[in-house]
Amino acid sequence: MANPMPAEEKLAVIEKVYTNLYNAMGLNEDKPVLKLDSKRSRSVAYIKKNRDGSKIIAVEEKAFDVCMSLGDKGEAALAFLMAHELGHFRYEHHWGSDFASSFAIEDIQEEIAEASKKLGELKFYETQADQMGGIYCYLAGYDIGGVGEILLPKIYEAYGLSPENKRYPSLDQRIEITKKNDEDMRILINVYEAGTYALLLGEYAEARRCLQHCLNEGFKSRE
């Protein structure tokens, strides 16, 4: 998949998307350092903690090219990948060393594989990361509805990943998670927007009811 865009221009696009997402998160924690990775050719995207406690979030160059192949949905696809990782960061899912684990790439750490035998547990983590990532994308202005269904098969194909893996949710299961998350997010966003409008209109009891529902469902923002 040829892409003539120089590495510095790719990094600039990633930085823009990352800044928008992180601002939408409204966190006070140390912001992970951003990196365009051209060496870990099977890592897709990942977030990790260094020995000194510093954090890195990275997008692998091939994954960037796959996202940009979606044309006008390219930045939304990039936001989808990065927001998923930020969802793991938000929930402190330290069971995986990077997003490579999420796509069943073979170099999963032994202790992680041992500690994560239950597929249901992994599916729960992935669902949480997708849900939180979906919230960040919405707040940052990225429409990711339907993007995962298009992007994930392309990622699997580009990286030569097996659609089925006994240690991890399969491609079909990941798409199922994404579709369910799209549906849940549409409902939650409607409730959030209704609460916001009610607040502006001075209907405080209704606003409280709507926004409290969003908080109960994990929809947290700077607002």
Side-chain angles (χ1 to χ4, degrees), residues 11 14-15 17-19 21-23 25-36 46-50 52-59 82-83 85-92 94 136:
L11 183 58
I14 296 171
E15 284 179 339
V17 173
Y18 180 42
T19 298
L21 290 172
Y22 203 83
N23 288 343
M25 292 171 70
L27 295 181
N28 295 320
E29 301 176 39
D30 292 338
K31 185 178 180 180
V33 174
L34 180 65
K35 178 181 178 182
L36 174 65
Y46 60 91
I47 191 163
K48 71 174 184 178
K49 186 175 182 180
N50 293 320
D52 63 2
S54 62
K55 301 178 181 69
I56 293 174
I57 183 169
V59 177
M82 298 187 73
E85 284 308 301
L86 289 170
H88 285 310
F89 172 63
R90 172 66 177 78
Y91 280 113
E92 298 184 345
H94 297 315
Y136 298 154

Side-chain angles (χ1 to χ4, degrees), residues 170-186:
S170 67
L171 173 57
D172 286 344
Q173 287 173 322
R174 286 200 56 84
I175 291 175
E176 177 189 333
I177 290 171
T178 299
K179 290 171 69 174
K180 181 64 166 58
N181 185 57
D182 284 347
E183 179 183 342
D184 292 344
M185 281 302 302
R186 278 195 298 269

Side-chain angles (χ1 to χ4, degrees), residues 152-165:
L152 292 175
K154 287 182 174 291
I155 289 286
Y156 271 67
E157 180 181 2
Y159 282 83
L161 305 178
S162 171
E164 300 291 338
N165 190 297

Side-chain angles (χ1 to χ4, degrees), residues 137-156:
C137 287
Y138 162 72
L139 293 173
Y142 295 105
D143 181 6
I144 62 168
V147 167
E149 298 173 55
I150 303 170
L151 177 64
L152 292 175
K154 287 182 174 291
I155 289 286
Y156 271 67

